[in-house]
Amino acid sequence: MELAEALKVFLSLVLLLQWLCSSSSSTFAFSQGEEQSLEGVLGDQNYEYKYPFIKRASTFKSPPSSSTSSNGGKHREYDYIVIGGGTAGCPLAATLSEKFSVLVLERGGVPFDNYNVSYMQNFHLSLADTSPSSSSQCFISTDGVFNSRARVLGGGTCINAGFYTRASSSYVKRVGWDPKLVNESYPWIEDRIVHRPKLAPWQRAVRDSLLEVGISPFNGFTYDHKHGTKVGGTIFDDQGRRNTAAELLSSGNPENLTVLIYATVQKIVFDTSGSKPKATGVVFKDENGDHHEAILSTKPGREVILSSGAIGSPQLLLLSGIGPKVDLEKLNIPVVLDNKNVGKNMQDNPLNTVFIPSNKPVQQSLIQTVGVTNMGVYIEASSGFGQSRDSIQRHHGIVSAEIGQLSTIPPKQRTKAAIQAFKDNKQDLPYEAFMGGFILEKLASPKSKGELSLINTNADDNPSVTFNYFSHPLDLKHCVEGIRVVEKIVESKPFINYTRLDKASLDRLLNMSVQANVNLIPRHTNDTSSLEQFCKDTVITIWHYHGGCNVGKVVAPDYRVLGVEGVRVVDGSTFSDSPGTNPQATVMMMGRYMGVQILRERLGEAA
């Protein structure tokens, strides 16, 4: 063994030994520096064996004639360029690679062996990391609600709560999908990365309480979307390790598949000399800041496919010159196609949570049980994430007492000063104040709509996003009805039996929780106006935002972008409604579904 190789192995072993010796905690929670060191020692050396087609963006060889080329040498053209290796992009790329050459451009890194991504107990830590290299990129809508978008191979499946449930048959029919292919595409996902959860005590109590208050029947464990109470699937295995959409890439053809990480697409390149603008490739930036151009092949059927999510896909269309002409001209973006609908009809399913204190530590759990009501709301639950020692002392982003799940500070009052004041005050709060869990109430089909627009031409920056939560009166009505269901759940026998709180203990914990600025059910729930204000003041997100590239407005029913050739959008930005109680199953299914559809379009029976 050469000296350099021996030294590399020695240093790796030293780093690994340091980590093992310092891991006295029951959870894997690392600082940013520790996390990056471990990812380098464990992740970078492991994933290359299973995923040899994943490379850093700087290894790409641009065509010698490209004006953006920073290096010459061998290059290739691609049948498909998929922008975004996320929830839809990974199954889409894996499927297309069965027959055609595919380049995936992902702006983030890999999720493999990133402990804050990979383990359920660190769910809150990955969302709390706001560094430039984080797997989640925080953004704040103009409504004042803190939110996150994924920045990692595997997309939202790497940072979400893991719940897996299909869309309803009525949703599939409304969208116009082929039911047979849909029912073939879901199992393709499920067989690879989905599990049946081991129900946590908090989840069992919520299940039994939902049934007692009339959210029936009990549908048992099922992936299907059914009214009543059910236990759904999860992408966490029985050891709490997360499986992500990135793992679906292993089902692709490695000879046809290239995945570049840390590749931030700047724009789609168009040939505008014909009757319609035609996509010819994309320009992207690598991790060193160098720009490259990836070129589509000249074969019929070649396409750029946007799978960058409900924030990234409309943003990239705008950066590429497709959008409202007046807005593009303000930023000196050459107009390729004037379409006033790009970025419009943005929606987010508002979430309101109620913290239920306990007089004992509660096992951590993310969403496993769900109540599908007939009043336009879904009831879900999580537990144990407020009580870990570091949760009391540290800022944990959207799942923190400062600005997220616990906060009673109204959205537009969540200023840096207010957040800092709360952080300072909570240092002396007793650990007991944060023991317990949440009941979550999410609107199924909000009527309120907003929009997305560019702030600048920097693809790394977030655009401006507005959701206009509760601007439609029906949304407020449904929220109030949902909070009243939550009140009944908390007062039900199964829940009281689980928390085992007598009135004195409950009053004591409630008073402590008030000091901790924790979301609690208003005392006067018969007062509709009070509950409406509660809904507005405590609204947060569960990251199910969608829209911006709606069918019939921006894309056709086959998801081709209207008015141009060679571009499709395949992700949640095309949705007019969020599918099922949680959309990740359907977004992954959509990637597989559209991959098969495209293969059939081009190859017919040969597909």
Side-chain angles (χ1 to χ4, degrees):
M1 182 183 292
E2 294 182 0
L3 180 60
E5 280 298 310
L7 183 59
K8 183 186 296 185
V9 171
F10 173 75
L11 289 174
S12 296
L13 290 172
V14 169
L15 283 170
L16 182 59
L17 183 61
Q18 286 177 340
W19 168 65
L20 290 170
C21 292
S22 63
S23 292
S24 58
S25 170
S26 61
T27 63
F28 295 104
F30 301 105
S31 69
Q32 181 187 342
E34 290 170 330
E35 180 185 325
Q36 288 175 341
S37 295
L38 282 168
E39 188 177 350
V41 173
L42 299 174
D44 287 351
Q45 292 184 16
N46 285 341
Y47 77 82
E48 292 173 354
Y49 293 104
K50 189 174 183 180
Y51 308 94
F53 44 80
I54 299 178
K55 306 290 184 183
R56 285 181 173 261
S58 57
T59 64
F60 184 80
K61 304 297 184 183
S62 295
S65 60
S66 170
S67 61
T68 59
S69 175
S70 58
N71 49 23
K74 184 179 178 181
H75 69 280
R76 63 182 295 188
E77 297 175 343
Y78 300 90
D79 295 307
Y80 294 97
I81 298 175
V82 178
I83 305 175
T87 309
C90 286
L92 172 66
T95 303
L96 291 175
S97 73
E98 293 171 13
K99 301 293 184 180
F100 295 101
S101 61
V102 182
L103 172 66
V104 179
L105 299 173
E106 167 53 47
R107 68 193 185 116
V110 295
F112 314 116
D113 294 315
N114 179 335
Y115 285 87
N116 286 351
V117 166
S118 295
Y119 286 91
M120 187 192 73
Q121 61 261 49
N122 294 334
F123 165 70
H124 56 315
L125 299 178
S126 63
L127 291 168
D129 183 1
T130 57
S131 67
S133 61
S134 170
S135 297
S136 64
Q137 182 177 1
C138 178
F139 71 94
I140 307 171
S141 68
T142 63
D143 314 276
V145 173
F146 284 69
N147 215 317
S148 289
R149 52 189 293 215
R151 183 170 50 197
V152 61
L153 189 66
T157 63
C158 299
I159 63 172
N160 65 18
F163 193 65
Y164 182 97
T165 179
R166 298 180 178 187
S168 65
S169 57
S170 61
Y171 184 96
V172 171
K173 182 178 180 180
R174 188 166 66 250
V175 173
W177 289 330
D178 174 6
K180 183 175 183 295
L181 182 54
V182 166
N183 289 329
E184 292 169 356
S185 299
Y186 275 122
W188 189 88
I189 306 295
E190 292 153 8
D191 292 345
R192 288 161 172 78
I193 63 168
V194 187
H195 309 273
R196 180 172 181 165
K198 182 179 179 181
L199 213 56
W202 186 270
Q203 301 290 331
R204 289 199 296 269
V206 172
R207 175 199 62 191
D208 296 343
S209 298
L210 282 165
L211 292 169
E212 181 171 289
V213 303
I215 312 301
S216 59
F218 179 52
N219 295 307
F221 167 73
T222 179
Y223 295 143
D224 293 335
H225 184 81
K226 297 180 178 181
H227 283 278
T229 296
K230 70 171 221 177
V231 175
T234 178
I235 57 173
F236 291 103
D237 65 19
D238 58 4
Q239 301 300 312
R241 186 179 179 89
R242 182 192 295 271
N243 298 110
T244 77
E247 294 167 47
L248 300 174
L249 291 168
S250 64
S251 297
N253 180 350
E255 298 300 317
N256 284 340
L257 186 57
T258 302
V259 178
L260 298 182
I261 54 175
Y262 305 114
T264 304
V265 174
Q266 307 297 296
K267 66 177 181 178
I268 302 169
V269 179
F270 288 93
D271 175 3
T272 57
S273 61
S275 58
K276 270 188 179 181
K278 181 186 295 186
T280 60
V282 303
V283 173
F284 67 92
K285 181 179 67 174
D286 67 24
E287 71 273 19
N288 299 321
D290 294 325
H291 286 69
H292 308 265
E293 185 171 352
I295 304 295
L296 284 172
S297 76
T298 56
K299 300 175 187 175
R302 85 281 173 77
E303 290 179 324
V304 172
I305 304 178
L306 275 165
S307 293
S308 300
I311 304 299
S313 288
Q315 179 186 22
L316 273 168
L317 284 181
L318 293 168
L319 289 171
S320 303
I322 299 176
K325 180 179 179 180
V326 63
D327 294 342
L328 299 176
E329 289 178 340
K330 286 178 182 176
L331 293 172
N332 296 316
I333 298 173
V335 178
V336 172
L337 180 73
D338 181 14
N339 185 337
K340 65 180 180 181
N341 296 305
V342 177
K344 301 300 189 290
N345 299 305
M346 295 292 296
Q347 292 182 287
D348 190 16
N349 299 71
L351 182 74
N352 293 86
T353 70
V354 174
F355 179 70
I356 312 300
S358 172
N359 62 357
K360 59 183 179 182
V362 175
Q363 179 183 328
Q364 285 184 327
S365 72
L366 291 172
I367 300 166
Q368 298 175 330
T369 299
V370 62
V372 181
T373 74
N374 59 6
M375 60 187 71
V377 297
Y378 302 133
I379 307 297
E380 302 174 340
S382 67
S383 61
F385 284 91
Q387 70 191 16
S388 61
R389 295 288 179 180
D390 61 358
S391 289
I392 297 175
Q393 302 299 326
R394 291 179 55 191
H395 162 44
H396 285 147
I398 201 164
V399 290
S400 71
E402 297 89 48
I403 58 174
Q405 306 283 63
L406 297 171
S407 179
T408 54
I409 304 173
K412 291 194 176 180
Q413 296 177 31
R414 294 171 195 165
T415 63
K416 288 185 178 180
I419 293 169
Q420 187 60 49
F422 182 81
K423 289 168 68 176
D424 294 341
N425 291 336
K426 79 170 183 174
Q427 301 301 317
D428 298 324
L429 289 170
Y431 172 77
E432 199 177 2
F434 294 91
M435 293 193 302
F438 299 101
I439 309 295
L440 319 176
E441 179 242 14
K442 169 197 160 184
L443 257 64
S445 301
K447 304 294 183 184
S448 305
K449 296 181 180 181
E451 64 179 352
L452 174 151
S453 60
L454 296 179
I455 297 173
N456 56 38
T457 58
N458 187 345
D460 293 314
D461 291 346
N462 290 312
S464 172
V465 185
T466 303
F467 294 115
N468 289 322
Y469 299 102
F470 299 122
S471 59
H472 195 288
L474 272 181
D475 292 350
L476 264 182
K477 178 177 180 291
H478 290 319
C479 181
V480 168
E481 291 170 345
I483 294 299
R484 287 180 174 145
V485 172
V486 173
E487 178 189 29
K488 292 177 183 177
I489 290 171
V490 175
E491 295 175 346
S492 68
K493 286 182 182 178
F495 216 85
I496 290 173
N497 289 340
Y498 174 72
T499 57
R500 298 189 179 279
L501 290 173
D502 56 34
K503 190 177 187 309
S505 297
L506 181 60
D507 286 345
R508 180 175 61 84
L509 288 172
L510 286 175
N511 288 333
M512 289 167 58
S513 299
V514 168
Q515 285 183 318
N517 206 40
V518 165
N519 273 352
L520 298 168
I521 298 175
R523 297 300 177 94
H524 306 290
T525 53
N526 60 330
D527 181 355
T528 298
S529 62
S530 172
L531 283 186
E532 287 180 348
Q533 196 60 47
F534 176 84
C535 288
K536 292 177 181 178
D537 286 352
T538 63
V539 64
I540 54 173
T541 183
I542 197 168
W543 317 288
H544 296 169
Y545 47 82
H546 51 278
C549 297
N550 296 89
V551 174
K553 302 286 188 180
V554 178
V555 299
D558 60 4
Y559 303 104
R560 286 186 169 96
V561 174
L562 298 168
V564 301
E565 293 183 8
V567 184
R568 292 196 208 221
V569 181
V570 178
D571 60 27
S573 69
T574 64
F575 294 167
S576 298
D577 200 6
S578 185
T581 57
N582 300 67
Q584 75 162 342
T586 302
V587 177
M588 284 190 282
M589 182 282 296
M590 183 189 192
R592 170 63 179 179
Y593 176 99
M594 284 307 301
V596 174
Q597 284 281 61
I598 292 170
L599 291 181
R600 289 177 178 177
E601 284 176 15
R602 293 191 66 173
L603 301 174
E605 292 297 322

Short mmCIF file of all heavy atoms in Angstrom, two decimals, residues 504-545:
data_model
loop_
_atom_site.label_atom_id
_atom_site.label_comp_id
_atom_site.label_asym_id
_atom_site.label_seq_id
_atom_site.Cartn_x
_atom_site.Cartn_y
_atom_site.Cartn_z
N ALA A 504 -54.92 18.50 38.96
CA ALA A 504 -53.87 19.33 39.55
C ALA A 504 -52.59 19.27 38.72
O ALA A 504 -51.96 20.30 38.45
CB ALA A 504 -53.60 18.88 40.99
N SER A 505 -52.23 18.05 38.29
CA SER A 505 -51.02 17.90 37.48
C SER A 505 -51.19 18.59 36.12
O SER A 505 -50.26 19.24 35.62
CB SER A 505 -50.70 16.42 37.26
OG SER A 505 -50.43 15.78 38.49
N LEU A 506 -52.39 18.42 35.53
CA LEU A 506 -52.63 19.03 34.23
C LEU A 506 -52.55 20.54 34.32
O LEU A 506 -51.92 21.20 33.49
CB LEU A 506 -53.99 18.60 33.69
CG LEU A 506 -54.38 19.16 32.32
CD1 LEU A 506 -53.36 18.74 31.27
CD2 LEU A 506 -55.78 18.72 31.92
N ASP A 507 -53.18 21.13 35.36
CA ASP A 507 -53.15 22.59 35.53
C ASP A 507 -51.72 23.07 35.72
O ASP A 507 -51.32 24.11 35.19
CB ASP A 507 -54.01 23.01 36.73
CG ASP A 507 -55.50 22.92 36.43
OD1 ASP A 507 -55.84 22.82 35.22
OD2 ASP A 507 -56.29 22.93 37.36
N ARG A 508 -50.93 22.30 36.49
CA ARG A 508 -49.54 22.70 36.73
C ARG A 508 -48.74 22.70 35.42
O ARG A 508 -48.00 23.64 35.12
CB ARG A 508 -48.90 21.76 37.75
CG ARG A 508 -47.44 22.09 38.08
CD ARG A 508 -46.91 21.18 39.18
NE ARG A 508 -46.95 19.78 38.79
CZ ARG A 508 -46.00 19.18 38.08
NH1 ARG A 508 -44.94 19.87 37.68
NH2 ARG A 508 -46.10 17.91 37.75
N LEU A 509 -48.90 21.64 34.64
CA LEU A 509 -48.17 21.55 33.38
C LEU A 509 -48.65 22.58 32.37
O LEU A 509 -47.87 23.13 31.61
CB LEU A 509 -48.31 20.14 32.80
CG LEU A 509 -47.51 19.05 33.53
CD1 LEU A 509 -47.87 17.68 33.00
CD2 LEU A 509 -46.01 19.29 33.39
N LEU A 510 -49.95 22.84 32.37
CA LEU A 510 -50.48 23.87 31.47
C LEU A 510 -49.89 25.23 31.82
O LEU A 510 -49.52 26.01 30.94
CB LEU A 510 -52.01 23.91 31.54
CG LEU A 510 -52.75 22.77 30.85
CD1 LEU A 510 -54.25 22.89 31.10
CD2 LEU A 510 -52.48 22.78 29.36
N ASN A 511 -49.79 25.53 33.09
CA ASN A 511 -49.21 26.81 33.50
C ASN A 511 -47.74 26.90 33.10
O ASN A 511 -47.26 27.94 32.65
CB ASN A 511 -49.36 27.00 35.01
CG ASN A 511 -50.79 27.28 35.42
OD1 ASN A 511 -51.56 27.81 34.62
ND2 ASN A 511 -51.14 26.92 36.64
N MET A 512 -47.01 25.79 33.26
CA MET A 512 -45.62 25.77 32.82
C MET A 512 -45.53 25.96 31.31
O MET A 512 -44.66 26.67 30.80
CB MET A 512 -44.96 24.44 33.21
CG MET A 512 -44.71 24.29 34.71
SD MET A 512 -44.29 22.59 35.15
CE MET A 512 -42.88 22.32 34.13
N SER A 513 -46.44 25.34 30.58
CA SER A 513 -46.42 25.42 29.13
C SER A 513 -46.76 26.83 28.65
O SER A 513 -46.24 27.28 27.63
CB SER A 513 -47.40 24.41 28.53
OG SER A 513 -47.04 23.09 28.88
N VAL A 514 -47.63 27.50 29.38
CA VAL A 514 -47.94 28.89 29.03
C VAL A 514 -46.69 29.74 29.16
O VAL A 514 -46.38 30.57 28.31
CB VAL A 514 -49.08 29.43 29.92
CG1 VAL A 514 -49.20 30.94 29.75
CG2 VAL A 514 -50.39 28.77 29.54
N GLN A 515 -45.93 29.53 30.24
CA GLN A 515 -44.67 30.25 30.41
C GLN A 515 -43.69 29.94 29.28
O GLN A 515 -42.93 30.79 28.86
CB GLN A 515 -44.02 29.86 31.75
CG GLN A 515 -44.67 30.48 32.97
CD GLN A 515 -43.91 30.10 34.22
OE1 GLN A 515 -43.49 28.95 34.38
NE2 GLN A 515 -43.72 31.05 35.11
N ALA A 516 -43.77 28.70 28.78
CA ALA A 516 -42.88 28.28 27.71
C ALA A 516 -43.37 28.74 26.34
O ALA A 516 -42.76 28.42 25.33
CB ALA A 516 -42.74 26.76 27.72
N ASN A 517 -44.46 29.47 26.32
CA ASN A 517 -45.01 30.00 25.06
C ASN A 517 -45.44 28.87 24.12
O ASN A 517 -45.27 28.94 22.91
CB ASN A 517 -43.97 30.88 24.37
CG ASN A 517 -44.63 31.92 23.47
OD1 ASN A 517 -45.65 32.49 23.85
ND2 ASN A 517 -44.09 32.14 22.30
N VAL A 518 -46.01 27.83 24.70
CA VAL A 518 -46.36 26.63 23.95
C VAL A 518 -47.80 26.71 23.46
O VAL A 518 -48.68 27.17 24.17
CB VAL A 518 -46.15 25.38 24.83
CG1 VAL A 518 -46.82 24.16 24.24
CG2 VAL A 518 -44.67 25.13 25.01
N ASN A 519 -48.05 26.21 22.25
CA ASN A 519 -49.39 26.14 21.70
C ASN A 519 -50.27 25.24 22.56
O ASN A 519 -49.97 24.07 22.76
CB ASN A 519 -49.37 25.53 20.29
CG ASN A 519 -49.13 26.56 19.24
OD1 ASN A 519 -49.13 27.75 19.50
ND2 ASN A 519 -48.92 26.10 18.02
N LEU A 520 -51.37 25.76 23.03
CA LEU A 520 -52.35 24.98 23.77
C LEU A 520 -53.74 25.33 23.26
O LEU A 520 -53.96 26.40 22.69
CB LEU A 520 -52.27 25.28 25.27
CG LEU A 520 -50.93 24.94 25.94
CD1 LEU A 520 -50.87 25.54 27.32
CD2 LEU A 520 -50.76 23.43 26.02
N ILE A 521 -54.69 24.44 23.47
CA ILE A 521 -56.05 24.72 23.03
C ILE A 521 -56.58 25.93 23.78
O ILE A 521 -56.45 26.02 25.00
CB ILE A 521 -56.96 23.51 23.31
CG1 ILE A 521 -56.48 22.29 22.52
CG2 ILE A 521 -58.41 23.81 22.94
CD1 ILE A 521 -57.24 21.04 22.83
N PRO A 522 -57.20 26.89 23.09
CA PRO A 522 -57.81 28.04 23.78
C PRO A 522 -58.83 27.56 24.81
O PRO A 522 -59.50 26.54 24.62
CB PRO A 522 -58.48 28.82 22.65
CG PRO A 522 -57.75 28.40 21.41
CD PRO A 522 -57.34 26.98 21.63
N ARG A 523 -58.95 28.30 25.90
CA ARG A 523 -59.85 27.88 26.99
C ARG A 523 -61.33 27.97 26.60
O ARG A 523 -62.16 27.30 27.17
CB ARG A 523 -59.58 28.73 28.24
CG ARG A 523 -58.18 28.59 28.81
CD ARG A 523 -57.90 27.16 29.23
NE ARG A 523 -56.53 26.97 29.71
CZ ARG A 523 -56.21 27.04 31.01
NH1 ARG A 523 -57.12 27.30 31.90
NH2 ARG A 523 -54.96 26.83 31.37
N HIS A 524 -61.66 28.81 25.63
CA HIS A 524 -63.08 29.03 25.28
C HIS A 524 -63.32 28.57 23.84
O HIS A 524 -63.47 29.37 22.93
CB HIS A 524 -63.44 30.51 25.45
CG HIS A 524 -63.11 31.05 26.81
ND1 HIS A 524 -63.81 30.67 27.95
CD2 HIS A 524 -62.16 31.91 27.23
CE1 HIS A 524 -63.30 31.29 29.01
NE2 HIS A 524 -62.29 32.05 28.60
N THR A 525 -63.41 27.27 23.67
CA THR A 525 -63.52 26.74 22.31
C THR A 525 -64.92 26.86 21.72
O THR A 525 -65.13 26.53 20.56
CB THR A 525 -63.08 25.26 22.27
OG1 THR A 525 -63.83 24.53 23.25
CG2 THR A 525 -61.60 25.13 22.54
N ASN A 526 -65.87 27.33 22.52
CA ASN A 526 -67.20 27.61 21.95
C ASN A 526 -67.22 28.98 21.27
O ASN A 526 -68.19 29.33 20.60
CB ASN A 526 -68.26 27.56 23.05
CG ASN A 526 -67.99 28.58 24.16
OD1 ASN A 526 -66.84 28.91 24.41
ND2 ASN A 526 -69.05 29.07 24.80
N ASP A 527 -66.15 29.74 21.43
CA ASP A 527 -66.05 31.07 20.84
C ASP A 527 -65.37 30.95 19.47
O ASP A 527 -64.15 30.81 19.38
CB ASP A 527 -65.24 31.99 21.77
CG ASP A 527 -65.13 33.41 21.22
OD1 ASP A 527 -65.59 33.65 20.08
OD2 ASP A 527 -64.57 34.27 21.92
N THR A 528 -66.18 31.01 18.40
CA THR A 528 -65.65 30.82 17.05
C THR A 528 -64.60 31.86 16.69
O THR A 528 -63.57 31.55 16.11
CB THR A 528 -66.79 30.85 16.01
OG1 THR A 528 -67.68 29.78 16.30
CG2 THR A 528 -66.26 30.69 14.59
N SER A 529 -64.87 33.11 17.06
CA SER A 529 -63.91 34.17 16.70
C SER A 529 -62.57 33.95 17.39
O SER A 529 -61.51 34.23 16.83
CB SER A 529 -64.48 35.55 17.07
OG SER A 529 -64.70 35.65 18.47
N SER A 530 -62.62 33.43 18.64
CA SER A 530 -61.38 33.14 19.35
C SER A 530 -60.60 32.04 18.64
O SER A 530 -59.37 32.12 18.49
CB SER A 530 -61.69 32.72 20.79
OG SER A 530 -60.53 32.25 21.43
N LEU A 531 -61.31 31.01 18.19
CA LEU A 531 -60.64 29.92 17.49
C LEU A 531 -60.12 30.36 16.13
O LEU A 531 -59.07 29.89 15.68
CB LEU A 531 -61.59 28.73 17.33
CG LEU A 531 -61.82 27.88 18.58
CD1 LEU A 531 -62.66 26.66 18.24
CD2 LEU A 531 -60.50 27.43 19.20
N GLU A 532 -60.84 31.22 15.46
CA GLU A 532 -60.35 31.75 14.19
C GLU A 532 -59.04 32.50 14.39
O GLU A 532 -58.10 32.37 13.59
CB GLU A 532 -61.40 32.68 13.56
CG GLU A 532 -62.59 31.95 12.98
CD GLU A 532 -63.61 32.91 12.36
OE1 GLU A 532 -63.49 34.14 12.60
OE2 GLU A 532 -64.52 32.43 11.66
N GLN A 533 -58.94 33.27 15.46
CA GLN A 533 -57.71 33.99 15.75
C GLN A 533 -56.60 33.02 16.11
O GLN A 533 -55.44 33.21 15.71
CB GLN A 533 -57.93 34.99 16.89
CG GLN A 533 -56.83 36.05 17.00
CD GLN A 533 -56.72 36.88 15.73
OE1 GLN A 533 -57.72 37.37 15.20
NE2 GLN A 533 -55.50 37.07 15.24
N PHE A 534 -56.95 31.96 16.85
CA PHE A 534 -55.96 30.93 17.19
C PHE A 534 -55.39 30.31 15.91
O PHE A 534 -54.18 30.11 15.78
CB PHE A 534 -56.61 29.86 18.06
CG PHE A 534 -55.69 28.70 18.38
CD1 PHE A 534 -54.79 28.78 19.43
CD2 PHE A 534 -55.74 27.53 17.64
CE1 PHE A 534 -53.95 27.72 19.73
CE2 PHE A 534 -54.90 26.47 17.93
CZ PHE A 534 -54.01 26.56 18.98
N CYS A 535 -56.27 30.01 14.95
CA CYS A 535 -55.82 29.43 13.68
C CYS A 535 -54.84 30.35 12.98
O CYS A 535 -53.79 29.92 12.48
CB CYS A 535 -57.02 29.15 12.78
SG CYS A 535 -58.05 27.76 13.31
N LYS A 536 -55.17 31.63 12.92
CA LYS A 536 -54.31 32.60 12.24
C LYS A 536 -52.98 32.78 12.98
O LYS A 536 -51.92 32.88 12.36
CB LYS A 536 -55.03 33.95 12.14
CG LYS A 536 -56.23 33.96 11.22
CD LYS A 536 -56.90 35.33 11.25
CE LYS A 536 -58.13 35.39 10.35
NZ LYS A 536 -58.80 36.71 10.44
N ASP A 537 -53.04 32.86 14.30
CA ASP A 537 -51.84 33.18 15.08
C ASP A 537 -50.87 32.01 15.19
O ASP A 537 -49.67 32.22 15.40
CB ASP A 537 -52.23 33.63 16.49
CG ASP A 537 -52.82 35.03 16.50
OD1 ASP A 537 -52.79 35.69 15.44
OD2 ASP A 537 -53.31 35.45 17.56
N THR A 538 -51.36 30.78 15.09
CA THR A 538 -50.48 29.64 15.31
C THR A 538 -50.24 28.83 14.04
O THR A 538 -49.68 27.72 14.11
CB THR A 538 -51.08 28.69 16.39
OG1 THR A 538 -52.32 28.16 15.91
CG2 THR A 538 -51.31 29.45 17.68
N VAL A 539 -50.61 29.37 12.89
CA VAL A 539 -50.43 28.62 11.64
C VAL A 539 -48.95 28.38 11.36
O VAL A 539 -48.10 29.26 11.52
CB VAL A 539 -51.10 29.35 10.45
CG1 VAL A 539 -50.45 30.70 10.17
CG2 VAL A 539 -51.05 28.48 9.19
N ILE A 540 -48.65 27.15 10.98
CA ILE A 540 -47.31 26.80 10.50
C ILE A 540 -47.50 25.93 9.25
O ILE A 540 -48.57 25.95 8.64
CB ILE A 540 -46.48 26.07 11.58
CG1 ILE A 540 -47.22 24.84 12.11
CG2 ILE A 540 -46.12 27.02 12.69
CD1 ILE A 540 -46.39 24.00 13.05
N THR A 541 -46.50 25.21 8.86
CA THR A 541 -46.59 24.40 7.65
C THR A 541 -46.20 22.96 7.95
O THR A 541 -45.49 22.69 8.92
CB THR A 541 -45.68 24.95 6.55
OG1 THR A 541 -45.84 24.17 5.35
CG2 THR A 541 -44.21 24.88 6.97
N ILE A 542 -46.66 22.06 7.11
CA ILE A 542 -46.18 20.68 7.15
C ILE A 542 -45.51 20.35 5.82
O ILE A 542 -45.38 19.21 5.43
CB ILE A 542 -47.34 19.71 7.51
CG1 ILE A 542 -46.80 18.36 7.95
CG2 ILE A 542 -48.36 19.59 6.38
CD1 ILE A 542 -47.84 17.44 8.59
N TRP A 543 -45.14 21.39 5.09
CA TRP A 543 -44.30 21.30 3.88
C TRP A 543 -45.02 20.63 2.70
O TRP A 543 -44.40 19.99 1.87
CB TRP A 543 -42.98 20.58 4.17
CG TRP A 543 -42.35 21.00 5.44
CD1 TRP A 543 -41.74 22.20 5.69
CD2 TRP A 543 -42.29 20.27 6.67
NE1 TRP A 543 -41.29 22.26 6.98
CE2 TRP A 543 -41.62 21.09 7.61
CE3 TRP A 543 -42.72 19.01 7.06
CZ2 TRP A 543 -41.38 20.68 8.93
CZ3 TRP A 543 -42.48 18.62 8.38
CH2 TRP A 543 -41.82 19.44 9.28
N HIS A 544 -46.33 20.79 2.62
CA HIS A 544 -47.10 20.19 1.53
C HIS A 544 -47.51 21.24 0.50
O HIS A 544 -48.55 21.11 -0.15
CB HIS A 544 -48.34 19.46 2.08
CG HIS A 544 -48.00 18.30 2.97
ND1 HIS A 544 -48.93 17.64 3.74
CD2 HIS A 544 -46.81 17.67 3.20
CE1 HIS A 544 -48.34 16.67 4.42
NE2 HIS A 544 -47.05 16.68 4.12
N TYR A 545 -46.71 22.25 0.34
CA TYR A 545 -47.03 23.31 -0.62
C TYR A 545 -46.95 22.76 -2.04
O TYR A 545 -46.22 21.81 -2.33
CB TYR A 545 -46.11 24.52 -0.43
CG TYR A 545 -44.64 24.21 -0.31
CD1 TYR A 545 -43.85 24.00 -1.43
CD2 TYR A 545 -44.02 24.13 0.95
CE1 TYR A 545 -42.49 23.73 -1.33
CE2 TYR A 545 -42.67 23.84 1.07
CZ TYR A 545 -41.91 23.65 -0.07
OH TYR A 545 -40.58 23.36 0.04
#
